[in-house]
Amino acid sequence: MSIWSGPYMTNYGKNEYNEAKAEFEEANEQMEKLRDKGRKKYEKIASLIMGERRFIGYKAIHNYRADNNAGNTLIGNTIFFIDKEFEHIIYSLDVEEYNQVQEAINQFKEQLEEEFEKEK
């Protein structure tokens, strides 16, 4: 908008200014919507992390060594999340990915605890 504004604006400049202003306002509206959506997600995750813990299922770690079709031996570690009736695998991921997720959750929890301490 600053490119097209000024004391010597022409009709073309006014038109370009108004278009840039409309784009700017639309972008601000979208940013506010995303900020509100992010704030709601943040509050939901915070309530889950800081809430009462309850039993939701099992976690099983499977270490394996297997040969692929090329004849190479692969070594892997996978974590499986199993429902509380021990009937279905809900989710599985690699141990390294699990450790990264746990680290992110711990950092998030520390930030939440710091915010709660500031509020007191």
Side-chain angles (χ1 to χ4, degrees):
M1 289 179 352
S2 63
I3 294 172
W4 300 107
S5 65
Y8 304 108
M9 283 180 37
T10 63
N11 285 336
Y12 177 77
K14 287 179 186 179
N15 186 37
E16 291 295 319
Y17 174 81
N18 290 333
E19 287 180 13
K21 184 177 177 182
E23 287 178 18
F24 175 76
E25 289 172 353
E26 183 180 335
N28 271 343
E29 286 177 23
Q30 288 179 349
M31 180 117 65
E32 279 301 315
K33 288 178 184 176
L34 289 174
R35 193 173 287 138
D36 290 341
K37 189 176 181 181
R39 196 172 298 121
K40 287 177 184 175
K41 295 273 187 192
Y42 175 85
E43 290 170 359
K44 183 177 179 180
I45 292 171
S47 68
L48 288 173
I49 288 176
M50 300 305 284
E52 184 180 331
R53 294 187 176 257
R54 59 187 171 85
F55 179 73
I56 59 171
Y58 299 92
K59 176 175 69 172
I61 300 174
H62 178 61
N63 301 321
Y64 61 89
R65 182 181 306 208
D67 293 335
N68 63 9
N69 291 339
N72 299 326
T73 301
L74 304 175
I75 299 173
N77 297 318
T78 304
I79 294 182
F80 295 95
F81 297 96
I82 305 164
D83 66 350
K84 59 184 167 183
E85 288 82 25
F86 211 79
E87 294 176 355
H88 303 286
I89 296 173
I90 298 170
Y91 194 74
S92 67
L93 71 154
D94 193 50
V95 171
E96 294 164 5
E97 293 171 333
Y98 175 76
N99 291 337
Q100 291 173 351
V101 169
Q102 284 299 112
E103 181 62 31
I105 290 172
N106 290 337
Q107 289 175 359
F108 188 71
K109 190 173 183 179
E110 289 173 4
Q111 289 175 351
L112 287 174
E113 290 170 351
E114 288 174 8
E115 286 184 26
F116 288 135
E117 289 296 320
K118 288 179 185 177
E119 290 177 5
K120 291 181 180 180

